[in-house]
Amino acid sequence: MNEKQKKQDELSGQETPEDKNAGCQKLAEEAAKYKDQYVRLYAEFENARKRMERERQEFIKYASEGLITEFLSILDNLERSVEAAQAKHEDYEAFLKGVEMIMAQIYEMLKRNSVKPIEAKGKMFDPHSHEILMQEESEAAEEGTVLEELQKGYTLGARVIRTSKVKVAKKKEKS
């Protein structure tokens, strides 16, 4: 294109091919810049996601460490009780007292960790916290009342972690 044509194009407001090439090159550079930003952000995101997954796995692996440490001291006391029993100590009262102290230590540890026993005996059957193992005909108790707790149930906070195994009253059948 000659100079005369360029001047006419400039005066008429039309873009020259050189202007068009410069605009395309500028857009290409801008697109490359945004692509580079995207690739870097994506890599950062993937690294953060992988790091969070590793940290989550680590947390799960060691979450119960404090609880296990508490149980180890209880295990130590149980081992001492067994050793005393094996040494044929004839003081059954002292042995019983030692076992009761260990049980108290366990109950205290459970309490500190928000574990509570489920009250069952004398309560109405609740399928969310009780599991019926037996039924017994009874005139004294209302149908569905827990007569006996065969195994304690426990909650962790508001969640039932083990249901109570119970014997429940049922109406006497007429013969």
PDB file of all heavy atoms in Angstrom, residues 19-42:
ATOM      1  N   ASP A  19      -2.686  -1.622  11.269  1.00  0.00           N
ATOM      2  CA  ASP A  19      -3.447  -1.396  12.494  1.00  0.00           C
ATOM      3  C   ASP A  19      -4.158  -2.674  12.924  1.00  0.00           C
ATOM      4  O   ASP A  19      -4.219  -3.007  14.103  1.00  0.00           O
ATOM      5  CB  ASP A  19      -4.479  -0.276  12.291  1.00  0.00           C
ATOM      6  CG  ASP A  19      -3.841   1.096  12.142  1.00  0.00           C
ATOM      7  OD1 ASP A  19      -2.670   1.242  12.556  1.00  0.00           O
ATOM      8  OD2 ASP A  19      -4.528   1.999  11.630  1.00  0.00           O
ATOM      9  N   LYS A  20      -4.685  -3.366  11.909  1.00  0.00           N
ATOM     10  CA  LYS A  20      -5.390  -4.624  12.205  1.00  0.00           C
ATOM     11  C   LYS A  20      -4.424  -5.649  12.785  1.00  0.00           C
ATOM     12  O   LYS A  20      -4.723  -6.341  13.742  1.00  0.00           O
ATOM     13  CB  LYS A  20      -6.063  -5.170  10.950  1.00  0.00           C
ATOM     14  CG  LYS A  20      -7.275  -4.385  10.540  1.00  0.00           C
ATOM     15  CD  LYS A  20      -7.926  -4.982   9.307  1.00  0.00           C
ATOM     16  CE  LYS A  20      -9.096  -4.114   8.872  1.00  0.00           C
ATOM     17  NZ  LYS A  20      -9.709  -4.595   7.657  1.00  0.00           N
ATOM     18  N   ASN A  21      -3.241  -5.767  12.208  1.00  0.00           N
ATOM     19  CA  ASN A  21      -2.230  -6.712  12.710  1.00  0.00           C
ATOM     20  C   ASN A  21      -1.807  -6.349  14.133  1.00  0.00           C
ATOM     21  O   ASN A  21      -1.646  -7.220  14.981  1.00  0.00           O
ATOM     22  CB  ASN A  21      -0.996  -6.729  11.804  1.00  0.00           C
ATOM     23  CG  ASN A  21      -1.222  -7.562  10.557  1.00  0.00           C
ATOM     24  OD1 ASN A  21      -2.139  -8.381  10.520  1.00  0.00           O
ATOM     25  ND2 ASN A  21      -0.403  -7.343   9.548  1.00  0.00           N
ATOM     26  N   ALA A  22      -1.632  -5.074  14.402  1.00  0.00           N
ATOM     27  CA  ALA A  22      -1.233  -4.627  15.738  1.00  0.00           C
ATOM     28  C   ALA A  22      -2.333  -4.954  16.750  1.00  0.00           C
ATOM     29  O   ALA A  22      -2.057  -5.401  17.865  1.00  0.00           O
ATOM     30  CB  ALA A  22      -0.940  -3.133  15.729  1.00  0.00           C
ATOM     31  N   GLY A  23      -3.586  -4.755  16.379  1.00  0.00           N
ATOM     32  CA  GLY A  23      -4.719  -5.069  17.264  1.00  0.00           C
ATOM     33  C   GLY A  23      -4.808  -6.565  17.538  1.00  0.00           C
ATOM     34  O   GLY A  23      -5.037  -6.993  18.679  1.00  0.00           O
ATOM     35  N   CYS A  24      -4.618  -7.366  16.490  1.00  0.00           N
ATOM     36  CA  CYS A  24      -4.652  -8.833  16.676  1.00  0.00           C
ATOM     37  C   CYS A  24      -3.508  -9.293  17.573  1.00  0.00           C
ATOM     38  O   CYS A  24      -3.695 -10.151  18.433  1.00  0.00           O
ATOM     39  CB  CYS A  24      -4.565  -9.540  15.318  1.00  0.00           C
ATOM     40  SG  CYS A  24      -6.077  -9.476  14.361  1.00  0.00           S
ATOM     41  N   GLN A  25      -2.350  -8.703  17.364  1.00  0.00           N
ATOM     42  CA  GLN A  25      -1.192  -9.084  18.190  1.00  0.00           C
ATOM     43  C   GLN A  25      -1.424  -8.700  19.648  1.00  0.00           C
ATOM     44  O   GLN A  25      -1.113  -9.464  20.554  1.00  0.00           O
ATOM     45  CB  GLN A  25       0.066  -8.421  17.648  1.00  0.00           C
ATOM     46  CG  GLN A  25       1.323  -8.919  18.333  1.00  0.00           C
ATOM     47  CD  GLN A  25       2.580  -8.396  17.662  1.00  0.00           C
ATOM     48  OE1 GLN A  25       2.532  -7.745  16.616  1.00  0.00           O
ATOM     49  NE2 GLN A  25       3.707  -8.698  18.274  1.00  0.00           N
ATOM     50  N   LYS A  26      -2.025  -7.523  19.859  1.00  0.00           N
ATOM     51  CA  LYS A  26      -2.321  -7.079  21.224  1.00  0.00           C
ATOM     52  C   LYS A  26      -3.323  -8.026  21.888  1.00  0.00           C
ATOM     53  O   LYS A  26      -3.167  -8.405  23.051  1.00  0.00           O
ATOM     54  CB  LYS A  26      -2.877  -5.651  21.192  1.00  0.00           C
ATOM     55  CG  LYS A  26      -3.114  -5.062  22.547  1.00  0.00           C
ATOM     56  CD  LYS A  26      -3.606  -3.633  22.451  1.00  0.00           C
ATOM     57  CE  LYS A  26      -3.904  -3.103  23.829  1.00  0.00           C
ATOM     58  NZ  LYS A  26      -4.477  -1.766  23.799  1.00  0.00           N
ATOM     59  N   LEU A  27      -4.358  -8.429  21.147  1.00  0.00           N
ATOM     60  CA  LEU A  27      -5.345  -9.382  21.687  1.00  0.00           C
ATOM     61  C   LEU A  27      -4.707 -10.742  21.974  1.00  0.00           C
ATOM     62  O   LEU A  27      -5.012 -11.377  22.983  1.00  0.00           O
ATOM     63  CB  LEU A  27      -6.517  -9.546  20.711  1.00  0.00           C
ATOM     64  CG  LEU A  27      -7.493  -8.380  20.625  1.00  0.00           C
ATOM     65  CD1 LEU A  27      -8.510  -8.617  19.511  1.00  0.00           C
ATOM     66  CD2 LEU A  27      -8.199  -8.183  21.954  1.00  0.00           C
ATOM     67  N   ALA A  28      -3.816 -11.180  21.103  1.00  0.00           N
ATOM     68  CA  ALA A  28      -3.134 -12.463  21.308  1.00  0.00           C
ATOM     69  C   ALA A  28      -2.271 -12.407  22.568  1.00  0.00           C
ATOM     70  O   ALA A  28      -2.231 -13.364  23.348  1.00  0.00           O
ATOM     71  CB  ALA A  28      -2.300 -12.820  20.082  1.00  0.00           C
ATOM     72  N   GLU A  29      -1.572 -11.288  22.777  1.00  0.00           N
ATOM     73  CA  GLU A  29      -0.740 -11.138  23.970  1.00  0.00           C
ATOM     74  C   GLU A  29      -1.603 -11.133  25.232  1.00  0.00           C
ATOM     75  O   GLU A  29      -1.261 -11.745  26.243  1.00  0.00           O
ATOM     76  CB  GLU A  29       0.076  -9.848  23.888  1.00  0.00           C
ATOM     77  CG  GLU A  29       1.203  -9.889  22.881  1.00  0.00           C
ATOM     78  CD  GLU A  29       1.857  -8.524  22.653  1.00  0.00           C
ATOM     79  OE1 GLU A  29       1.473  -7.558  23.353  1.00  0.00           O
ATOM     80  OE2 GLU A  29       2.739  -8.449  21.799  1.00  0.00           O
ATOM     81  N   GLU A  30      -2.731 -10.439  25.162  1.00  0.00           N
ATOM     82  CA  GLU A  30      -3.647 -10.382  26.305  1.00  0.00           C
ATOM     83  C   GLU A  30      -4.208 -11.772  26.610  1.00  0.00           C
ATOM     84  O   GLU A  30      -4.283 -12.185  27.777  1.00  0.00           O
ATOM     85  CB  GLU A  30      -4.782  -9.400  25.989  1.00  0.00           C
ATOM     86  CG  GLU A  30      -5.515  -8.908  27.207  1.00  0.00           C
ATOM     87  CD  GLU A  30      -6.512  -7.805  26.851  1.00  0.00           C
ATOM     88  OE1 GLU A  30      -6.214  -6.969  25.979  1.00  0.00           O
ATOM     89  OE2 GLU A  30      -7.594  -7.813  27.481  1.00  0.00           O
ATOM     90  N   ALA A  31      -4.581 -12.512  25.560  1.00  0.00           N
ATOM     91  CA  ALA A  31      -5.096 -13.877  25.750  1.00  0.00           C
ATOM     92  C   ALA A  31      -4.018 -14.768  26.370  1.00  0.00           C
ATOM     93  O   ALA A  31      -4.301 -15.573  27.265  1.00  0.00           O
ATOM     94  CB  ALA A  31      -5.579 -14.447  24.418  1.00  0.00           C
ATOM     95  N   ALA A  32      -2.779 -14.630  25.911  1.00  0.00           N
ATOM     96  CA  ALA A  32      -1.675 -15.433  26.464  1.00  0.00           C
ATOM     97  C   ALA A  32      -1.454 -15.097  27.934  1.00  0.00           C
ATOM     98  O   ALA A  32      -1.195 -15.981  28.764  1.00  0.00           O
ATOM     99  CB  ALA A  32      -0.401 -15.195  25.666  1.00  0.00           C
ATOM    100  N   LYS A  33      -1.577 -13.787  28.260  1.00  0.00           N
ATOM    101  CA  LYS A  33      -1.414 -13.356  29.654  1.00  0.00           C
ATOM    102  C   LYS A  33      -2.494 -13.991  30.544  1.00  0.00           C
ATOM    103  O   LYS A  33      -2.210 -14.527  31.617  1.00  0.00           O
ATOM    104  CB  LYS A  33      -1.484 -11.829  29.736  1.00  0.00           C
ATOM    105  CG  LYS A  33      -1.331 -11.260  31.121  1.00  0.00           C
ATOM    106  CD  LYS A  33      -1.406  -9.744  31.093  1.00  0.00           C
ATOM    107  CE  LYS A  33      -2.650  -9.360  31.852  1.00  0.00           C
ATOM    108  NZ  LYS A  33      -2.903  -7.949  31.926  1.00  0.00           N
ATOM    109  N   TYR A  34      -3.752 -13.957  30.065  1.00  0.00           N
ATOM    110  CA  TYR A  34      -4.853 -14.546  30.842  1.00  0.00           C
ATOM    111  C   TYR A  34      -4.727 -16.064  30.944  1.00  0.00           C
ATOM    112  O   TYR A  34      -5.024 -16.653  31.984  1.00  0.00           O
ATOM    113  CB  TYR A  34      -6.206 -14.165  30.256  1.00  0.00           C
ATOM    114  CG  TYR A  34      -6.582 -12.723  30.508  1.00  0.00           C
ATOM    115  CD1 TYR A  34      -7.004 -11.898  29.473  1.00  0.00           C
ATOM    116  CD2 TYR A  34      -6.498 -12.180  31.780  1.00  0.00           C
ATOM    117  CE1 TYR A  34      -7.342 -10.571  29.699  1.00  0.00           C
ATOM    118  CE2 TYR A  34      -6.831 -10.858  32.023  1.00  0.00           C
ATOM    119  CZ  TYR A  34      -7.256 -10.055  30.976  1.00  0.00           C
ATOM    120  OH  TYR A  34      -7.583  -8.756  31.217  1.00  0.00           O
ATOM    121  N   LYS A  35      -4.265 -16.693  29.886  1.00  0.00           N
ATOM    122  CA  LYS A  35      -4.059 -18.146  29.919  1.00  0.00           C
ATOM    123  C   LYS A  35      -2.985 -18.497  30.950  1.00  0.00           C
ATOM    124  O   LYS A  35      -3.141 -19.440  31.725  1.00  0.00           O
ATOM    125  CB  LYS A  35      -3.670 -18.666  28.546  1.00  0.00           C
ATOM    126  CG  LYS A  35      -3.496 -20.165  28.526  1.00  0.00           C
ATOM    127  CD  LYS A  35      -3.099 -20.681  27.167  1.00  0.00           C
ATOM    128  CE  LYS A  35      -2.896 -22.176  27.241  1.00  0.00           C
ATOM    129  NZ  LYS A  35      -2.333 -22.718  26.019  1.00  0.00           N
ATOM    130  N   ASP A  36      -1.915 -17.722  30.985  1.00  0.00           N
ATOM    131  CA  ASP A  36      -0.840 -17.955  31.949  1.00  0.00           C
ATOM    132  C   ASP A  36      -1.367 -17.790  33.379  1.00  0.00           C
ATOM    133  O   ASP A  36      -1.071 -18.611  34.255  1.00  0.00           O
ATOM    134  CB  ASP A  36       0.311 -16.979  31.688  1.00  0.00           C
ATOM    135  CG  ASP A  36       1.480 -17.226  32.615  1.00  0.00           C
ATOM    136  OD1 ASP A  36       2.008 -18.361  32.618  1.00  0.00           O
ATOM    137  OD2 ASP A  36       1.855 -16.285  33.355  1.00  0.00           O
ATOM    138  N   GLN A  37      -2.170 -16.743  33.600  1.00  0.00           N
ATOM    139  CA  GLN A  37      -2.768 -16.540  34.922  1.00  0.00           C
ATOM    140  C   GLN A  37      -3.655 -17.717  35.300  1.00  0.00           C
ATOM    141  O   GLN A  37      -3.617 -18.197  36.436  1.00  0.00           O
ATOM    142  CB  GLN A  37      -3.592 -15.247  34.952  1.00  0.00           C
ATOM    143  CG  GLN A  37      -2.789 -13.995  35.061  1.00  0.00           C
ATOM    144  CD  GLN A  37      -3.696 -12.764  35.069  1.00  0.00           C
ATOM    145  OE1 GLN A  37      -4.816 -12.794  34.573  1.00  0.00           O
ATOM    146  NE2 GLN A  37      -3.187 -11.684  35.640  1.00  0.00           N
ATOM    147  N   TYR A  38      -4.457 -18.181  34.357  1.00  0.00           N
ATOM    148  CA  TYR A  38      -5.350 -19.323  34.600  1.00  0.00           C
ATOM    149  C   TYR A  38      -4.550 -20.568  34.962  1.00  0.00           C
ATOM    150  O   TYR A  38      -4.874 -21.253  35.936  1.00  0.00           O
ATOM    151  CB  TYR A  38      -6.222 -19.584  33.360  1.00  0.00           C
ATOM    152  CG  TYR A  38      -6.909 -20.917  33.397  1.00  0.00           C
ATOM    153  CD1 TYR A  38      -8.030 -21.118  34.202  1.00  0.00           C
ATOM    154  CD2 TYR A  38      -6.428 -21.998  32.657  1.00  0.00           C
ATOM    155  CE1 TYR A  38      -8.654 -22.341  34.259  1.00  0.00           C
ATOM    156  CE2 TYR A  38      -7.046 -23.230  32.717  1.00  0.00           C
ATOM    157  CZ  TYR A  38      -8.155 -23.402  33.511  1.00  0.00           C
ATOM    158  OH  TYR A  38      -8.770 -24.618  33.571  1.00  0.00           O
ATOM    159  N   VAL A  39      -3.517 -20.857  34.191  1.00  0.00           N
ATOM    160  CA  VAL A  39      -2.707 -22.057  34.443  1.00  0.00           C
ATOM    161  C   VAL A  39      -2.065 -21.980  35.825  1.00  0.00           C
ATOM    162  O   VAL A  39      -2.060 -22.957  36.580  1.00  0.00           O
ATOM    163  CB  VAL A  39      -1.647 -22.234  33.330  1.00  0.00           C
ATOM    164  CG1 VAL A  39      -0.618 -23.287  33.698  1.00  0.00           C
ATOM    165  CG2 VAL A  39      -2.324 -22.597  32.017  1.00  0.00           C
ATOM    166  N   ARG A  40      -1.542 -20.815  36.186  1.00  0.00           N
ATOM    167  CA  ARG A  40      -0.919 -20.649  37.508  1.00  0.00           C
ATOM    168  C   ARG A  40      -1.955 -20.806  38.636  1.00  0.00           C
ATOM    169  O   ARG A  40      -1.701 -21.473  39.635  1.00  0.00           O
ATOM    170  CB  ARG A  40      -0.232 -19.295  37.609  1.00  0.00           C
ATOM    171  CG  ARG A  40       1.021 -19.195  36.778  1.00  0.00           C
ATOM    172  CD  ARG A  40       1.595 -17.777  36.845  1.00  0.00           C
ATOM    173  NE  ARG A  40       2.637 -17.588  35.880  1.00  0.00           N
ATOM    174  CZ  ARG A  40       3.922 -17.843  36.103  1.00  0.00           C
ATOM    175  NH1 ARG A  40       4.298 -18.313  37.263  1.00  0.00           N
ATOM    176  NH2 ARG A  40       4.814 -17.656  35.165  1.00  0.00           N
ATOM    177  N   LEU A  41      -3.116 -20.174  38.481  1.00  0.00           N
ATOM    178  CA  LEU A  41      -4.164 -20.285  39.500  1.00  0.00           C
ATOM    179  C   LEU A  41      -4.654 -21.728  39.629  1.00  0.00           C
ATOM    180  O   LEU A  41      -4.890 -22.215  40.735  1.00  0.00           O
ATOM    181  CB  LEU A  41      -5.342 -19.357  39.177  1.00  0.00           C
ATOM    182  CG  LEU A  41      -5.128 -17.897  39.482  1.00  0.00           C
ATOM    183  CD1 LEU A  41      -6.294 -17.067  38.940  1.00  0.00           C
ATOM    184  CD2 LEU A  41      -4.994 -17.683  40.977  1.00  0.00           C
ATOM    185  N   TYR A  42      -4.798 -22.404  38.516  1.00  0.00           N
ATOM    186  CA  TYR A  42      -5.244 -23.797  38.540  1.00  0.00           C
ATOM    187  C   TYR A  42      -4.216 -24.669  39.266  1.00  0.00           C
ATOM    188  O   TYR A  42      -4.582 -25.513  40.092  1.00  0.00           O
ATOM    189  CB  TYR A  42      -5.483 -24.309  37.121  1.00  0.00           C
ATOM    190  CG  TYR A  42      -6.060 -25.698  37.095  1.00  0.00           C
ATOM    191  CD1 TYR A  42      -7.407 -25.910  37.361  1.00  0.00           C
ATOM    192  CD2 TYR A  42      -5.254 -26.805  36.828  1.00  0.00           C
ATOM    193  CE1 TYR A  42      -7.945 -27.187  37.358  1.00  0.00           C
ATOM    194  CE2 TYR A  42      -5.785 -28.079  36.831  1.00  0.00           C
ATOM    195  CZ  TYR A  42      -7.126 -28.270  37.097  1.00  0.00           C
ATOM    196  OH  TYR A  42      -7.655 -29.527  37.095  1.00  0.00           O
TER     197      TYR A  42
END
